[in-house]
Amino acid sequence: MNIYVSGLSFKLNDADLRQLFEEYGEVSSAKIIMDKFTGRSRGFGFVEMNDEDGQKAIDALNEAEVDGKVIGVSVARPREERPRNNFNRGGGGGGGFNKGGSGGGRNNDRDGGGYGKKNFNRW
């Protein structure tokens, strides 16, 4: 069973999360999710346990106070597919002062927008 844990203190690490859940049974893995840019905890994580022990842990730890914060513990749902970034959707960019750019989106001369003057040589 994959368990989602939210509201974690930023001070906790993977070992702390594992120790918290080991009281209820064998933990296959425990992982706090970290921000890839700052390296700081994002305040949530995942724990893998067998179904019976996992349900005991969920029942006992949901809305419990851990390290001064109330945590949420539930069965993890499969990650939903999110649409991939489509960089042809416009928006953003633009030419700036006196550059002729449209500020993104679709330009009147249909050059894709945001590249400055109309006669800009693309690749």
Side-chain angles (χ1 to χ4, degrees):
M1 167 184 284
N2 197 12
I3 302 168
Y4 172 69
V5 187
S6 62
L8 294 171
S9 166
F10 297 119
K11 295 183 246 174
L12 293 179
N13 60 35
D14 293 350
D16 297 328
L17 185 60
R18 176 180 287 275
Q19 184 177 8
L20 178 66
F21 278 80
E22 280 179 337
E23 185 177 331
Y24 303 96
E26 184 179 342
V27 174
S28 304
S29 69
K31 180 77 176 155
I32 292 178
I33 305 304
M34 307 301 271
D35 184 279
K36 64 182 173 183
F37 298 109
T38 66
R40 248 183 75 167
S41 165
R42 293 190 58 198
F44 69 94
F46 296 93
V47 176
E48 287 188 59
M49 304 178 77
N50 71 44
D51 289 351
E52 186 178 327
D53 293 339
Q55 191 58 55
K56 284 193 295 188
I58 290 170
D59 294 340
L61 293 173
N62 188 37
E63 297 184 6
E65 188 173 318
V66 177
D67 199 31
K69 293 189 74 174
V70 176
I71 63 171
V73 183
S74 62
V75 175
R77 295 187 309 252
R79 189 171 182 177
E80 292 181 17
E81 284 295 317
R82 296 185 298 184
R84 301 200 41 91
N85 287 337
N86 182 352
F87 295 105
N88 293 325
R89 294 174 67 187
F97 180 72
N98 203 19
K99 298 289 185 199
S102 69
R106 200 156 184 178
N107 200 347
N108 289 338
D109 57 8
R110 299 179 186 267
D111 71 351
Y115 289 107
K117 295 190 181 288
K118 291 182 188 179
N119 61 357
F120 181 82
N121 294 327
R122 293 178 66 178
W123 314 200

